[in-house]
PDB file of all heavy atoms in Angstrom:
ATOM      1  N   GLY N 366      45.372  20.627  -5.494  1.00 86.00           N
ATOM      2  CA  GLY N 366      45.710  20.909  -4.105  1.00 86.00           C
ATOM      3  C   GLY N 366      44.781  21.836  -3.362  1.00 86.00           C
ATOM      4  O   GLY N 366      45.188  22.517  -2.418  1.00 86.00           O
ATOM      5  N   ASN N 369      44.255  20.767   0.324  1.00 92.00           N
ATOM      6  CA  ASN N 369      45.523  20.955   1.033  1.00 92.00           C
ATOM      7  C   ASN N 369      45.738  22.426   1.397  1.00 92.00           C
ATOM      8  O   ASN N 369      46.243  22.745   2.481  1.00 92.00           O
ATOM      9  CB  ASN N 369      46.697  20.462   0.178  1.00 92.00           C
ATOM     10  CG  ASN N 369      46.667  18.961  -0.027  1.00 92.00           C
ATOM     11  OD1 ASN N 369      45.986  18.248   0.699  1.00 92.00           O
ATOM     12  ND2 ASN N 369      47.391  18.485  -1.022  1.00 92.00           N
ATOM     13  N   LEU N 370      45.362  23.336   0.490  1.00 96.00           N
ATOM     14  CA  LEU N 370      45.516  24.762   0.775  1.00 96.00           C
ATOM     15  C   LEU N 370      44.514  25.204   1.840  1.00 96.00           C
ATOM     16  O   LEU N 370      44.854  25.997   2.723  1.00 96.00           O
ATOM     17  CB  LEU N 370      45.349  25.592  -0.493  1.00 96.00           C
ATOM     18  CG  LEU N 370      45.600  27.101  -0.333  1.00 96.00           C
ATOM     19  CD1 LEU N 370      47.036  27.385   0.072  1.00 96.00           C
ATOM     20  CD2 LEU N 370      45.258  27.857  -1.627  1.00 96.00           C
ATOM     21  N   LEU N 373      45.994  24.354   5.191  1.00 96.00           N
ATOM     22  CA  LEU N 373      47.440  24.583   5.138  1.00 96.00           C
ATOM     23  C   LEU N 373      48.081  24.640   6.528  1.00 96.00           C
ATOM     24  O   LEU N 373      47.520  25.208   7.466  1.00 96.00           O
ATOM     25  CB  LEU N 373      47.687  25.919   4.426  1.00 96.00           C
ATOM     26  CG  LEU N 373      49.135  26.305   4.145  1.00 96.00           C
ATOM     27  CD1 LEU N 373      49.630  25.577   2.907  1.00 96.00           C
ATOM     28  CD2 LEU N 373      49.242  27.818   3.929  1.00 96.00           C
ATOM     29  N   THR N 376      54.739  26.849   6.940  1.00 96.00           N
ATOM     30  CA  THR N 376      56.112  26.480   7.297  1.00 96.00           C
ATOM     31  C   THR N 376      56.913  27.696   7.734  1.00 96.00           C
ATOM     32  O   THR N 376      58.032  27.544   8.230  1.00 96.00           O
ATOM     33  CB  THR N 376      56.818  25.840   6.091  1.00 96.00           C
ATOM     34  OG1 THR N 376      56.698  26.734   4.980  1.00 96.00           O
ATOM     35  CG2 THR N 376      56.201  24.501   5.743  1.00 96.00           C
ATOM     36  N   LEU N 518      54.919  31.647 -10.527  1.00 98.00           N
ATOM     37  CA  LEU N 518      54.490  31.195  -9.209  1.00 98.00           C
ATOM     38  C   LEU N 518      53.291  31.994  -8.704  1.00 98.00           C
ATOM     39  O   LEU N 518      52.331  31.427  -8.173  1.00 98.00           O
ATOM     40  CB  LEU N 518      55.663  31.326  -8.222  1.00 98.00           C
ATOM     41  CG  LEU N 518      55.380  30.976  -6.757  1.00 98.00           C
ATOM     42  CD1 LEU N 518      55.014  29.506  -6.605  1.00 98.00           C
ATOM     43  CD2 LEU N 518      56.591  31.333  -5.888  1.00 98.00           C
ATOM     44  N   ASN N 591      50.644  29.200  -9.241  1.00 97.00           N
ATOM     45  CA  ASN N 591      51.016  27.938  -9.899  1.00 97.00           C
ATOM     46  C   ASN N 591      52.090  27.256  -9.071  1.00 97.00           C
ATOM     47  O   ASN N 591      53.246  27.671  -9.062  1.00 97.00           O
ATOM     48  CB  ASN N 591      51.535  28.205 -11.322  1.00 97.00           C
ATOM     49  CG  ASN N 591      52.006  26.941 -12.011  1.00 97.00           C
ATOM     50  OD1 ASN N 591      51.515  25.843 -11.720  1.00 97.00           O
ATOM     51  ND2 ASN N 591      52.963  27.077 -12.926  1.00 97.00           N
ATOM     52  N   TRP N 592      51.676  26.192  -8.365  1.00 96.00           N
ATOM     53  CA  TRP N 592      52.632  25.463  -7.515  1.00 96.00           C
ATOM     54  C   TRP N 592      53.416  24.416  -8.319  1.00 96.00           C
ATOM     55  O   TRP N 592      54.276  23.745  -7.768  1.00 96.00           O
ATOM     56  CB  TRP N 592      51.935  24.711  -6.390  1.00 96.00           C
ATOM     57  CG  TRP N 592      50.723  25.311  -5.735  1.00 96.00           C
ATOM     58  CD1 TRP N 592      49.520  24.697  -5.534  1.00 96.00           C
ATOM     59  CD2 TRP N 592      50.580  26.603  -5.129  1.00 96.00           C
ATOM     60  NE1 TRP N 592      48.647  25.519  -4.869  1.00 96.00           N
ATOM     61  CE2 TRP N 592      49.275  26.701  -4.607  1.00 96.00           C
ATOM     62  CE3 TRP N 592      51.443  27.703  -4.995  1.00 96.00           C
ATOM     63  CZ2 TRP N 592      48.793  27.844  -3.956  1.00 96.00           C
ATOM     64  CZ3 TRP N 592      50.969  28.830  -4.359  1.00 96.00           C
ATOM     65  CH2 TRP N 592      49.667  28.900  -3.849  1.00 96.00           C
ATOM     66  N   TRP N 603      59.080  24.422  -7.176  1.00 97.00           N
ATOM     67  CA  TRP N 603      58.529  24.983  -5.947  1.00 97.00           C
ATOM     68  C   TRP N 603      58.114  23.829  -5.039  1.00 97.00           C
ATOM     69  O   TRP N 603      57.442  22.894  -5.483  1.00 97.00           O
ATOM     70  CB  TRP N 603      57.333  25.880  -6.266  1.00 97.00           C
ATOM     71  CG  TRP N 603      56.707  26.506  -5.055  1.00 97.00           C
ATOM     72  CD1 TRP N 603      55.504  26.216  -4.494  1.00 97.00           C
ATOM     73  CD2 TRP N 603      57.285  27.540  -4.236  1.00 97.00           C
ATOM     74  NE1 TRP N 603      55.288  26.989  -3.377  1.00 97.00           N
ATOM     75  CE2 TRP N 603      56.366  27.816  -3.193  1.00 97.00           C
ATOM     76  CE3 TRP N 603      58.498  28.244  -4.274  1.00 97.00           C
ATOM     77  CZ2 TRP N 603      56.622  28.771  -2.210  1.00 97.00           C
ATOM     78  CZ3 TRP N 603      58.749  29.198  -3.294  1.00 97.00           C
ATOM     79  CH2 TRP N 603      57.816  29.464  -2.284  1.00 97.00           C
ATOM     80  N   PRO N 604      58.463  23.852  -3.735  1.00 96.00           N
ATOM     81  CA  PRO N 604      58.201  22.693  -2.869  1.00 96.00           C
ATOM     82  C   PRO N 604      56.725  22.466  -2.538  1.00 96.00           C
ATOM     83  O   PRO N 604      56.332  21.363  -2.183  1.00 96.00           O
ATOM     84  CB  PRO N 604      59.015  22.998  -1.608  1.00 96.00           C
ATOM     85  CG  PRO N 604      59.257  24.472  -1.641  1.00 96.00           C
ATOM     86  CD  PRO N 604      59.293  24.871  -3.076  1.00 96.00           C
ATOM     87  N   GLY N 605      55.891  23.495  -2.647  1.00 94.00           N
ATOM     88  CA  GLY N 605      54.460  23.323  -2.448  1.00 94.00           C
ATOM     89  C   GLY N 605      54.058  23.025  -1.017  1.00 94.00           C
ATOM     90  O   GLY N 605      54.799  23.291  -0.066  1.00 94.00           O
ATOM     91  N   TYR N 606      52.853  22.462  -0.864  1.00 92.00           N
ATOM     92  CA  TYR N 606      52.268  22.124   0.435  1.00 92.00           C
ATOM     93  C   TYR N 606      52.394  23.291   1.417  1.00 92.00           C
ATOM     94  O   TYR N 606      51.985  24.404   1.116  1.00 92.00           O
ATOM     95  CB  TYR N 606      52.875  20.828   0.989  1.00 92.00           C
ATOM     96  CG  TYR N 606      52.593  19.640   0.097  1.00 92.00           C
ATOM     97  CD1 TYR N 606      53.626  18.965  -0.569  1.00 92.00           C
ATOM     98  CD2 TYR N 606      51.290  19.194  -0.117  1.00 92.00           C
ATOM     99  CE1 TYR N 606      53.352  17.887  -1.407  1.00 92.00           C
ATOM    100  CE2 TYR N 606      51.013  18.111  -0.954  1.00 92.00           C
ATOM    101  CZ  TYR N 606      52.044  17.463  -1.587  1.00 92.00           C
ATOM    102  OH  TYR N 606      51.784  16.413  -2.422  1.00 92.00           O
ATOM    103  N   GLY N 607      52.972  23.065   2.592  1.00 94.00           N
ATOM    104  CA  GLY N 607      53.057  24.114   3.609  1.00 94.00           C
ATOM    105  C   GLY N 607      53.850  25.330   3.167  1.00 94.00           C
ATOM    106  O   GLY N 607      53.641  26.444   3.671  1.00 94.00           O
ATOM    107  N   GLU N 608      54.766  25.118   2.199  1.00 97.00           N
ATOM    108  CA  GLU N 608      55.574  26.248   1.713  1.00 97.00           C
ATOM    109  C   GLU N 608      54.720  27.258   0.933  1.00 97.00           C
ATOM    110  O   GLU N 608      55.158  28.392   0.709  1.00 97.00           O
ATOM    111  CB  GLU N 608      56.716  25.753   0.828  1.00 97.00           C
ATOM    112  CG  GLU N 608      57.638  24.721   1.473  1.00 97.00           C
ATOM    113  CD  GLU N 608      58.418  25.244   2.676  1.00 97.00           C
ATOM    114  OE1 GLU N 608      58.298  26.436   3.012  1.00 97.00           O
ATOM    115  OE2 GLU N 608      59.153  24.435   3.293  1.00 97.00           O
ATOM    116  N   ASN N 609      53.520  26.863   0.531  1.00 97.00           N
ATOM    117  CA  ASN N 609      52.646  27.810  -0.161  1.00 97.00           C
ATOM    118  C   ASN N 609      52.239  28.970   0.752  1.00 97.00           C
ATOM    119  O   ASN N 609      51.726  29.988   0.283  1.00 97.00           O
ATOM    120  CB  ASN N 609      51.406  27.094  -0.708  1.00 97.00           C
ATOM    121  CG  ASN N 609      51.766  26.097  -1.799  1.00 97.00           C
ATOM    122  OD1 ASN N 609      52.813  26.211  -2.430  1.00 97.00           O
ATOM    123  ND2 ASN N 609      50.905  25.120  -2.023  1.00 97.00           N
ATOM    124  N   SER N 610      52.485  28.810   2.052  1.00 98.00           N
ATOM    125  CA  SER N 610      52.251  29.919   2.988  1.00 98.00           C
ATOM    126  C   SER N 610      53.111  31.124   2.626  1.00 98.00           C
ATOM    127  O   SER N 610      52.751  32.265   2.935  1.00 98.00           O
ATOM    128  CB  SER N 610      52.530  29.481   4.428  1.00 98.00           C
ATOM    129  OG  SER N 610      53.850  28.975   4.561  1.00 98.00           O
ATOM    130  N   ARG N 611      54.252  30.892   1.965  1.00 98.00           N
ATOM    131  CA  ARG N 611      55.126  31.997   1.552  1.00 98.00           C
ATOM    132  C   ARG N 611      54.459  32.848   0.474  1.00 98.00           C
ATOM    133  O   ARG N 611      54.628  34.076   0.450  1.00 98.00           O
ATOM    134  CB  ARG N 611      56.463  31.441   1.043  1.00 98.00           C
ATOM    135  CG  ARG N 611      57.227  30.646   2.108  1.00 98.00           C
ATOM    136  CD  ARG N 611      58.408  29.901   1.500  1.00 98.00           C
ATOM    137  NE  ARG N 611      59.054  29.013   2.462  1.00 98.00           N
ATOM    138  CZ  ARG N 611      60.050  29.363   3.289  1.00 98.00           C
ATOM    139  NH1 ARG N 611      60.515  30.601   3.247  1.00 98.00           N
ATOM    140  NH2 ARG N 611      60.564  28.489   4.116  1.00 98.00           N
ATOM    141  N   VAL N 612      53.692  32.199  -0.398  1.00 98.00           N
ATOM    142  CA  VAL N 612      52.945  32.934  -1.418  1.00 98.00           C
ATOM    143  C   VAL N 612      51.816  33.730  -0.762  1.00 98.00           C
ATOM    144  O   VAL N 612      51.601  34.910  -1.074  1.00 98.00           O
ATOM    145  CB  VAL N 612      52.391  31.960  -2.485  1.00 98.00           C
ATOM    146  CG1 VAL N 612      51.528  32.710  -3.494  1.00 98.00           C
ATOM    147  CG2 VAL N 612      53.536  31.235  -3.189  1.00 98.00           C
ATOM    148  N   LEU N 613      51.114  33.089   0.176  1.00 98.00           N
ATOM    149  CA  LEU N 613      50.054  33.795   0.896  1.00 98.00           C
ATOM    150  C   LEU N 613      50.617  34.974   1.680  1.00 98.00           C
ATOM    151  O   LEU N 613      49.985  36.042   1.750  1.00 98.00           O
ATOM    152  CB  LEU N 613      49.330  32.841   1.851  1.00 98.00           C
ATOM    153  CG  LEU N 613      48.509  31.708   1.227  1.00 98.00           C
ATOM    154  CD1 LEU N 613      47.842  30.886   2.328  1.00 98.00           C
ATOM    155  CD2 LEU N 613      47.460  32.244   0.263  1.00 98.00           C
ATOM    156  N   ASP N 614      51.792  34.800   2.254  1.00 98.00           N
ATOM    157  CA  ASP N 614      52.448  35.877   3.000  1.00 98.00           C
ATOM    158  C   ASP N 614      52.625  37.107   2.099  1.00 98.00           C
ATOM    159  O   ASP N 614      52.298  38.229   2.484  1.00 98.00           O
ATOM    160  CB  ASP N 614      53.798  35.377   3.522  1.00 98.00           C
ATOM    161  CG  ASP N 614      54.698  36.498   4.023  1.00 98.00           C
ATOM    162  OD1 ASP N 614      54.271  37.254   4.916  1.00 98.00           O
ATOM    163  OD2 ASP N 614      55.829  36.631   3.505  1.00 98.00           O
ATOM    164  N   PHE N 640      60.291  38.657  -0.940  1.00 98.00           N
ATOM    165  CA  PHE N 640      59.629  37.358  -0.789  1.00 98.00           C
ATOM    166  C   PHE N 640      60.371  36.526   0.245  1.00 98.00           C
ATOM    167  O   PHE N 640      61.599  36.424   0.204  1.00 98.00           O
ATOM    168  CB  PHE N 640      59.617  36.636  -2.142  1.00 98.00           C
ATOM    169  CG  PHE N 640      58.512  35.630  -2.300  1.00 98.00           C
ATOM    170  CD1 PHE N 640      57.268  36.014  -2.791  1.00 98.00           C
ATOM    171  CD2 PHE N 640      58.706  34.301  -1.960  1.00 98.00           C
ATOM    172  CE1 PHE N 640      56.246  35.092  -2.942  1.00 98.00           C
ATOM    173  CE2 PHE N 640      57.694  33.370  -2.103  1.00 98.00           C
ATOM    174  CZ  PHE N 640      56.453  33.766  -2.608  1.00 98.00           C
TER     175      PHE N 640
END
Side-chain angles (χ1 to χ4, degrees):
N369 293 343
L370 185 63
L373 185 80
T376 53
L518 176 64
N591 177 28
W592 324 129
W603 180 251
Y606 298 115
E608 304 296 357
N609 294 338
S610 56
R611 299 169 187 271
V612 176
L613 293 181
D614 166 57
F640 205 88

